[in-house]
Amino acid sequence: MTTEIALSGPRTLANDPDLLTRVLTPYRDNCQYLKSAEVVLGDSEDHVARALCAFEIEESCYIDSTGHFNAVEFNICYNQMFYYIAAKAVQDRLFAPFDRWTMQDYWDRQLPDILIAKLSSSYRRAIHTGRFEGEIVVDKVLEREPSADRGAMVVLNTSCRFWDQAGGDSRGEVKIVITNAPVNGG
């Protein structure tokens, strides 16, 4: 059985520095690109939630500077935005199914069970990697109950974009699958 999740009522949640620090703990110090995130809920019937994010890449964590935002940095920045919005959804019980999870449920699944099932990205105009902005939108959330051949899953359709003050522009769509999802909040 698949259930589509909906949300109503506008609400904005300011950046939570303590949660952000915890979310970024798995990353090396030179790869913690996400600096702040503000979550917005219920501002559109077209999506569940979104987060407006600020990034800074002082130096690439894997290559000499290319001078612009590239596919690897896109993926890292996307991951950090998703990890934050999902953790915030659990912590503040923002939308199902995360409103039934504990923070320990989330931390136990952050790395091993949150998978990118599909990612597409486009680069319309180069983004300089100093300081830039990003946005993740959770477009749809589906819960899949466990079956005889697999455990419970959560599937999220998301979109994102990144931009800088000079008109840099990159966009993408990402499908996330969370395997081993807690059933009935634990």
Side-chain angles (χ1 to χ4, degrees):
M1 178 177 164
T2 301
T3 307
E4 187 170 332
I5 309 303
L7 177 75
S8 63
R11 193 168 152 202
T12 300
L13 294 99
N15 182 56
D16 182 334
D18 294 333
L19 182 65
L20 181 59
T21 297
R22 178 65 173 95
V23 162
L24 296 178
T25 297
Y27 291 88
R28 307 292 184 270
D29 290 343
N30 68 335
C31 194
Q32 294 182 6
Y33 299 153
L34 180 60
K35 302 305 178 188
S36 69
E38 178 180 273
V39 175
V40 181
L41 300 163
D43 64 333
S44 170
E45 292 181 14
D46 294 338
H47 61 260
V48 177
R50 65 188 176 100
L52 301 170
C53 303
F55 293 91
E56 185 174 351
I57 301 177
E58 292 179 22
E59 65 178 340
S60 176
C61 67
Y62 77 101
I63 193 171
D64 289 341
S65 177
T66 60
H68 61 82
F69 188 68
N70 61 49
V72 172
E73 292 158 344
F74 180 103
N75 197 328
I76 292 168
C77 291
Y78 172 84
N79 285 348
Q80 291 178 5
M81 286 193 303
F82 181 80
Y83 287 155
Y84 182 84
I85 199 169
K88 191 70 171 163
V90 172
Q91 177 183 275
D92 292 357
R93 304 198 176 288
L94 301 179
F95 54 87
F98 301 116
D99 59 349
R100 298 185 306 270
W101 291 23
T102 66
M103 286 310 297
Q104 195 58 52
D105 289 334
Y106 175 79
W107 302 129
D108 289 347
R109 288 161 180 80
Q110 181 180 356
L111 294 182
D113 297 321
I114 297 177
L115 311 171
I116 292 178
K118 185 176 182 181
L119 181 144
S120 67
S121 59
S122 64
Y123 306 86
R124 298 170 182 205
R125 192 162 175 209
I127 296 173
H128 301 287
T129 56
R131 293 181 185 199
F132 60 98
E133 308 298 318
E135 176 183 55
I136 183 172
V137 178
V138 178
D139 297 305
K140 185 187 282 188
V141 182
L142 302 169
E143 291 185 81
R144 295 198 176 162
E145 294 179 4
S147 66
D149 62 337
R150 63 160 172 75
M153 293 185 346
V154 177
V155 179
L156 299 101
N157 293 329
T158 69
S159 53
C160 65
R161 65 188 182 109
F162 300 96
W163 66 93
D164 65 15
Q165 295 297 321
D169 184 12
S170 179
R171 297 167 190 244
E173 293 183 358
V174 184
K175 178 183 264 186
I176 296 290
V177 174
I178 303 174
T179 60
N180 190 32
V183 179
N184 297 323

